């Protein structure tokens, strides 16, 4: 009886021998040959045009969620919603494909922002394709996606003829609109201020950088904000929005950034500890990816009429306005409160930052926020918010 297996074993070892000579297989064969990737194959087969395009592509890197990652993702109403929305599923899969072949060894402890094949304007307005942040954390290769969510490489460098595959432990999170990000990150004053100035078009404008004051920043100058006209509030907000996408790696000392507020500039100052200031405000959480660019959380509201630089010895940001706390958190009246939140100060939200200690002032611990929960927001709110 045992003999019957011999030819098969012999054949298998022959194939293995050939593989060691040239192990580069097609994408389809590589996916089919990895039993951790059968869910990815299933999802790709729901999208034949994408599957076919990928199988013919060259110079790509696929961040391939394992079956466990997909199971976690789809084991909720939300995951099922995504799976049932071909457009959203397709966008999510495109977001998992990097434009270029990146071996894991090319990822370093300096963040890199790598364009993906997600270019559809329904989901992104980042020229060249939405990005992921690639960085090593300790001995691991990590990709950060929307809302500071991370995916860690569990098996790297599965080469195929068109590039390479890294198997990751969590499905990436599509970067949401600036408004959804503001809600999820508990930037509720910013959210309310954006809503109050209804001509603001930051939600969809192509290629922007938003310097996003946290709630403490708004609250600390509540009295100065209380009687602003809508026009004044709008020009203050526009002073926080820069035309073009500047990730942390682009914020070099002395850089000036043109804002949407009457072409007034912001100035970047960095000190020897690597702390980054925009005018006199400190960037406390950088690189929150959003649908149309990037958002950096800052610890003070910026004032177009006060462009003072930080003092040479500054260890935190300085206010751009003179004011005192209001009794109520500014601009939050009548605004939605998110049911799930990312606490940017909590461990694991985003790569370790030299400025992390300062950002811990945000108070009560938030519940951990997962990519799965996030998609609940997308499913429920995306259309309304993107049309905002
Ligand atoms: C292996 O085969 C693939 C496709 O058949 C080819 O593109 C690649 O260059 C080969 N690699 C080596 C090292 O021969
Ligand atoms: C995902 O993989 C698991 C096995 O790990 C399997 O039970 C499940 O049916 C797969 N789902 C899809 C959609 O392929
Ligand atoms: C790979 O598989 C997809 C379907 O999953 C198919 O559309 C495509 O033609 C295949 N590519 C090749 C080169 O066989
Ligand atoms: C972009 O996404 C929308 C919504 O899912 C879809 O209708 C459209 O066909 C997509 N465009 C392209 C070029 O794939
Ligand atoms: C990938 O990047 C190259 C430039 O490096 C660009 O020409 C090409 O259009 C990009 N591909 C996609 C699908 O965005
Ligand atoms: C978007 O950004 C790119 C650089 O990343 C720039 O070349 C392009 O002109 C920008 N597009 C718009 C509409 O601003
Ligand atoms: C990283 O190191 C930890 C323990 O130090 C180990 O458990 C883990 O497997 C390592 N990861 C990789 C990708 O080597
Ligand atoms: C994948 O390809 C790269 C570059 O060609 C090579 O350095 C690496 O050893 C290959 N990895 C495997 C697992 O064959
Ligand atoms: C991208 O820009 C287009 C045109 O302005 C707009 O219709 C679309 O909603 C924007 N998409 C996103 C995700 O912001
Ligand atoms: C904007 O604020 C009003 C109350 O002023 C509120 O009813 C509305 O829901 C808010 N819009 C969004 C998109 O949150
Ligand atoms: C990734 O996220 C998980 C849970 O959200 C967290 O426990 C972990 O520390 C994070 N890892 C990194 C490297 O950011
Ligand atoms: C959100 O911000 C409000 C106002 O600053 C604060 O009271 C609340 O504790 C914050 N929530 C979380 C989860 O950090």
């Amino acid at each position: 009886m045992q003999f019957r297996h011999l030819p098969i074993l012999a054949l298998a070892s022959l194939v293995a021998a050939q593989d060691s000579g040239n192990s580069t297989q097609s994408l389809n064969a590589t996916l089919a040959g990895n039993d951790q990737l059968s869910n990815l194959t299933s999802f790709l087969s729901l999208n034949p045009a994408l599957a076919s395009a990928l199988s013919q592509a060259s110079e790509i890197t696929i961040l391939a969620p394992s079956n466990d990652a997909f199971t976690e993702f789809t084991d909720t109403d939300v995951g099922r919603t995504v799976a049932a929305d071909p457009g959203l599923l397709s966008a999510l899969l495109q977001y998992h494909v990097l434009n270029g072949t990146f071996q894991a060894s090319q990822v370093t402890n300096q963040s890199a922002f790598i364009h993906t094949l997600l270019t559809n304007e329904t989901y992104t307005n980042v020229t060249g394709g939405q990005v992921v942040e690639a960085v090593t954390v300790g001995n691991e290769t990590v990709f950060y996606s929307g809302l500071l969510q991370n995916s860690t490489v569990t098996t790297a460098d599965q080469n195929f003829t068109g590039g390479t595959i890294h198997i990751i432990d969590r499905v990436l999170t599509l970067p949401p609109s600036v408004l959804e990000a503001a809600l999820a990150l508990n930037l509720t004053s910013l959210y309310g201020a954006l809503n109050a100035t209804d001509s603001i078009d930051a939600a969809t404008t192509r290629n922007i950088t938003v310097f996003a004051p946290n709630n403490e920043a708004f609250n600390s100058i509540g009295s100065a904000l209380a009687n602003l006209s809508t026009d004044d509030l709008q020009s203050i907000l526009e002073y926080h929005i820069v035309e073009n996408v500047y990730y942390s790696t682009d914020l070099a000392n002395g850089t000036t950034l043109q804002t949407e507020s009457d072409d007034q500039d912001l100035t970047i100052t960095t000190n020897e500890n690597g702390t980054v200031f925009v005018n006199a405000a400190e960037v406390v959480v950088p690189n929150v990816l959003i649908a149309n660019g990037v958002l950096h959380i800052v610890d003070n509201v910026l004032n177009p009429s006060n462009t003072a630089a930080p003092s040479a010895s500054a260890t935190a940001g300085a206010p751009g306005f003179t004011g005192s706390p209001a009794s109520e958190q500014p601009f939050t009246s009548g605004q939605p409160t998110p049911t799930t939140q990312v606490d940017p100060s909590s461990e694991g939200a985003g790569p370790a930052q030299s400025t992390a200690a300062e950002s811990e002032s945000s108070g009560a611990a938030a519940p951990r926020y997962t990519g799965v929960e996030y998609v609940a927001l997308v499913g429920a709110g995306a259309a309304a918010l993107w049309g905002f």
Side-chain angles (χ1 to χ4, degrees):
M1 298 290 277
Q2 300 286 329
F3 289 124
R4 300 180 62 142
H5 295 285
L6 269 178
I8 295 169
L9 289 172
L11 184 60
S13 62
L14 181 61
V15 170
Q18 285 178 341
D19 276 357
S20 67
N22 182 352
S23 62
T24 312
Q25 295 180 304
S26 71
L27 175 60
N28 287 5
T30 304
L31 291 177
N34 191 317
D35 61 11
Q36 286 189 70
L37 300 181
S38 59
N39 284 192
L40 177 60
T41 304
S42 304
F43 283 116
L44 281 171
S45 71
L46 296 175
N47 195 322
L50 179 60
S52 172
L54 290 181
S55 75
Q56 288 163 43
S58 59
E59 298 296 318
I60 60 173
T61 300
I62 299 180
L63 304 181
S66 65
N67 284 357
D68 285 350
F70 269 116
T71 300
E72 183 190 321
F73 178 70
T74 54
D75 194 24
T76 61
D77 290 344
V78 166
R80 283 186 281 274
T81 303
V82 174
D85 179 339
L88 188 53
L89 176 61
S90 175
L92 187 61
L93 292 172
Q94 288 168 327
Y95 187 48
H96 284 76
V97 185
L98 311 185
N99 185 355
T101 305
F102 299 92
Q103 301 292 329
S105 59
Q106 291 170 261
V107 178
T108 71
N109 63 4
Q110 299 299 306
S111 290
F113 297 87
I114 301 174
H115 290 291
T116 71
L117 300 194
L118 177 60
T119 56
N120 187 323
E121 285 193 1
T122 302
Y123 306 100
T124 184
N125 277 316
V126 174
T127 298
Q130 184 54 277
V131 304
V132 292
E133 178 179 358
V135 66
T136 55
V137 178
N139 61 349
E140 299 195 306
T141 304
V142 180
F143 291 92
Y144 289 91
S145 54
L147 298 177
L148 304 170
Q149 298 299 300
N150 71 72
S151 302
T152 298
V153 173
T154 55
T155 306
D157 302 339
Q158 303 295 293
N159 295 343
F160 66 99
T161 49
T164 197
I165 297 174
H166 305 309
I167 302 179
I168 55 174
D169 67 346
R170 293 169 89 191
V171 174
L172 299 175
T173 297
L174 275 183
S177 73
V178 62
L179 291 161
E180 285 174 287
L183 265 192
L185 294 164
N186 202 32
L187 304 170
T188 49
S189 282
L190 176 67
Y191 181 98
L194 288 167
N195 187 0
T197 54
D198 57 15
S199 58
I200 200 104
D201 56 6
T204 59
T205 307
R206 176 163 288 273
N207 297 345
I208 62 167
T209 302
V210 179
F211 291 97
N214 58 24
N215 275 357
E216 292 82 352
F218 278 97
N219 195 47
S220 65
I221 57 161
S223 63
L225 301 170
N227 297 312
L228 286 177
S229 69
T230 302
D231 281 355
D232 286 344
L233 177 59
Q234 182 166 338
S235 57
I236 290 168
L237 290 174
E238 287 175 350
Y239 191 54
H240 291 74
I241 300 168
V242 170
E243 300 163 6
N244 264 317
V245 185
Y246 295 92
Y247 303 105
S248 59
T249 44
D250 303 313
L251 299 178
N253 190 37
T255 306
T256 56
L257 306 174
Q258 186 178 329
T259 73
E260 294 188 349
S261 174
D262 297 330
D263 297 333
Q264 293 193 78
D265 290 347
L266 295 167
T267 302
I268 300 296
T269 306
T270 60
N271 69 18
E272 63 269 25
N273 302 326
T275 306
V276 177
F277 297 89
V278 51
N279 289 354
E282 183 187 342
V283 174
V284 289
V285 180
N287 302 322
V288 180
L289 304 176
I290 56 175
N292 50 347
V294 68
L295 176 157
H296 306 293
I297 302 178
V298 293
D299 69 349
N300 277 285
V301 179
L302 302 165
N303 183 349
S305 303
N306 177 4
T307 59
S311 73
S313 60
T315 55
F321 290 87
T322 305
S324 52
S327 55
E328 193 189 338
Q329 186 68 40
F331 309 120
T332 57
S333 170
Q335 302 307 304
T337 50
T339 53
T340 55
Q341 291 173 338
V342 182
D343 178 356
S345 69
S346 74
E347 192 186 344
Q353 303 294 334
S354 57
T355 56
E358 279 84 1
S359 71
E360 271 166 22
S361 58
S362 63
R368 281 300 308 162
Y369 184 87
T370 70
V372 174
E373 289 167 327
Y374 154 67
V375 183
L377 284 174
V378 169
L385 290 173
W386 286 341
F388 180 80

